């Protein structure tokens, strides 16, 4: 695959095409400005066999795709991807989508099922969503930049899904996500990736592309939600957020951009697609060291208690 330009300089580079042939198929339609897709590590966990008055059938070995829709601030769940008989789609929002899921642009699952963490500390099947917004509440307020990634437990039990009144969601009524945690140091976020490390207590480490950064260029931010506050709580005092100010990131001019990010599972390298500079940057995920607190240079953050680490 090569550029279509006539430029014969070294900038006109080619890359090997993956596969001898390829085929493009429409798997699901009716999405609204879809920005990212990720496959649930445990298909069927969230919807079970019956939800919102609909029956769901999980074929053996089938996959379940979760698509973040920036246009209507929702997640579309495509069940039994590719099944002619049982594939179907259902969309779901956060009950407070105007803050927790506004203009969602990226999502990432914790897919590590064998971390050896105890069940009460294992965040396997959790999901984090990145919001491309400066916290305007659907353009009804001035931006205050108190915005960042939202964490969800995709197991519907224990208050993780509710009805429109905030009560337990019954099988026959519309359900909404209820977030497990949120941190607020990456407004206008356009990319996110889960870190598959197994050293932290809960496994809630995510890397984010903060397009706001220092108001001149975007920056890389590492979020460790640590112990999530859980559904219904607003306590953000237990977490660690680290800014990598030397990693300059440019989102470009496109207002509906998505920046792909992934952590290599064994090399401990973070790959970041940088749309504004047409680059892929590679960062050693374990190479950072403490330089200084970020509270003075970046005064908008989740909690003022010492247990909230911001550097």
């Amino acid at each position: 695959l090569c550029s279509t330009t006539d430029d014969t300089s070294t900038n006109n580079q080619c890359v090997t095409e993956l596969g001898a042939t390829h085929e493009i198929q429409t798997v699901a339609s009716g999405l609204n400005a879809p920005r990212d897709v990720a496959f649930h590590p445990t298909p069927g966990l969230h919807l079970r066999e019956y939800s919102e008055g609909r029956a769901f059938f999980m074929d053996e070995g089938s996959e379940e795709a979760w698509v973040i829709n920036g246009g209507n601030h929702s997640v579309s769940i495509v069940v039994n991807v590719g099944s002619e008989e049982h594939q179907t789609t259902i969309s779901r929002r956060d009950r407070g989508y105007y803050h927790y899921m506004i203009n969602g642009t990226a999502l990432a699952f914790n897919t590590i099922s064998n971390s050896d963490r105890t069940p009460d500390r294992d965040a396997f099947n959790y999901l984090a969503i990145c919001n491309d917004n400066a916290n305007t509440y659907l353009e009804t307020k001035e931006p205050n930049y108190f915005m960042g990634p939202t964490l969800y437990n995709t197991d519907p039990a224990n208050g993780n899904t509710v009805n429109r009144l905030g009560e337990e969601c019954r099988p026959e009524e519309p359900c909404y996500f209820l977030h497990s945690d949120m941190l607020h140091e990456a407004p206008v976020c356009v990319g996110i990736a889960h870190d598959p490390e197994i050293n932290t207590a809960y496994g809630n480490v995510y890397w984010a592309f903060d397009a706001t950064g220092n108001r001149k260029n975007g920056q890389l931010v590492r979020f460790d939600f640590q112990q999530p506050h859980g559904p219904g709580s607003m306590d953000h005092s237990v977490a660690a957020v680290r800014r990598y100010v030397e990693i300059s990131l440019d989102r470009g001019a496109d207002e509906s951009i998505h920046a792909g990010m992934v952590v290599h599972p064994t090399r401990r390298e973070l790959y970041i697609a940088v749309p504004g500079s047409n680059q892929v940057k590679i960062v050693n995920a374990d190479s950072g060291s403490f330089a200084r607190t970020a509270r003075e240079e970046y005064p908008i953050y989740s909690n003022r208690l010492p247990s909230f680490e911001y550097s």
Side-chain angles (χ1 to χ4, degrees):
L1 297 178
C2 301
S3 171
T4 57
T5 179
D6 293 332
D7 182 12
T8 57
S9 69
T10 56
N11 292 327
N12 185 20
Q13 299 177 358
C14 302
V15 295
T16 304
E17 184 177 5
L18 299 178
T21 61
H22 64 271
E23 182 180 356
I24 300 176
Q25 294 181 344
T26 299
V27 176
S29 58
L31 307 175
N32 194 319
R35 303 282 172 75
D36 196 12
V37 59
F39 290 90
H40 199 294
T42 308
L45 172 69
H46 184 69
L47 295 172
R48 306 289 174 89
E49 296 180 352
Y50 193 84
S51 183
E52 297 197 19
R54 296 172 56 184
F56 296 93
F57 303 91
M58 290 305 304
D59 297 342
E60 184 176 356
S62 66
E63 293 184 302
E64 184 177 285
W66 287 44
V67 181
I68 186 73
N69 296 298
N72 63 1
H73 323 293
S74 71
V75 171
S76 292
I77 304 171
V78 185
V79 183
N80 278 307
V81 175
S83 170
E84 294 184 1
E85 183 178 3
H86 292 143
Q87 178 179 312
T88 187
T89 303
I90 185 172
S91 292
R92 186 161 285 179
R93 282 176 167 176
D94 188 297
R95 184 166 170 262
Y97 68 91
Y98 44 83
H99 176 63
Y100 301 106
M101 199 177 281
I102 183 171
N103 197 22
T105 303
L107 73 170
F109 283 102
N110 180 335
T111 62
I112 308 303
S113 62
N114 56 348
S115 68
D116 291 329
R117 295 180 176 95
T118 58
D120 62 324
R121 293 191 171 195
D122 194 350
F124 175 54
N125 292 313
Y126 274 59
L127 167 76
I129 289 177
C130 204
N131 303 292
D132 187 2
N133 188 266
N135 200 29
T136 63
Y137 284 75
L138 297 177
E139 306 301 328
T140 62
K141 298 181 181 296
E142 292 291 326
N144 63 10
Y145 299 94
F146 191 67
M147 174 62 76
T150 311
L151 186 70
Y152 295 93
N153 182 351
T154 62
D155 187 333
N158 302 318
N160 295 313
T161 56
V162 294
N163 63 16
R164 64 183 181 85
L165 299 178
E167 301 168 346
E168 181 180 358
C169 183
R170 298 190 301 272
E172 72 278 5
E173 62 182 348
C175 297
Y176 298 85
F177 296 111
L178 196 59
H179 77 289
S180 294
D181 210 341
M182 186 179 190
L183 295 172
H184 308 83
E185 294 72 30
V188 195
C189 177
V190 295
I192 196 166
H194 177 254
D195 192 325
E197 56 77 34
I198 57 174
N199 296 318
T200 61
Y202 293 86
N204 284 317
V205 175
Y206 292 82
W207 297 85
F209 186 137
D210 171 16
T212 301
N214 61 4
R215 309 296 173 90
K216 295 180 181 179
N217 56 263
Q219 294 174 348
L220 177 65
V221 185
R222 178 187 182 272
F223 290 91
D224 185 355
F225 290 89
Q226 296 184 351
Q227 181 179 2
H229 60 53
S233 175
M234 300 293 286
D235 182 4
H236 303 117
S237 62
V238 182
V241 180
R242 301 173 185 171
R243 304 195 73 89
Y244 292 76
V245 295
E246 72 278 14
I247 310 298
S248 178
L249 303 175
D250 182 4
R251 71 172 288 161
D254 191 340
E255 294 186 357
S256 58
I257 201 69
H258 163 77
M261 301 174 65
V262 66
V263 179
H264 193 287
T266 58
R267 295 173 61 93
R268 298 296 299 144
E269 292 174 339
L270 170 63
Y271 294 79
I272 312 166
V274 188
S277 57
N278 293 319
Q279 292 178 314
V280 174
K281 292 192 175 184
I282 305 174
V283 178
N284 184 330
D286 302 320
S287 62
S289 60
F290 178 83
R292 59 190 181 276
T293 180
R295 295 184 180 224
E296 294 182 4
E297 294 173 68
Y298 301 89
I300 301 173
Y301 49 89
S302 296
N303 195 278
R304 295 186 178 275
L305 291 178
S307 56
F308 177 78
E309 176 194 334
Y310 191 28
S311 60

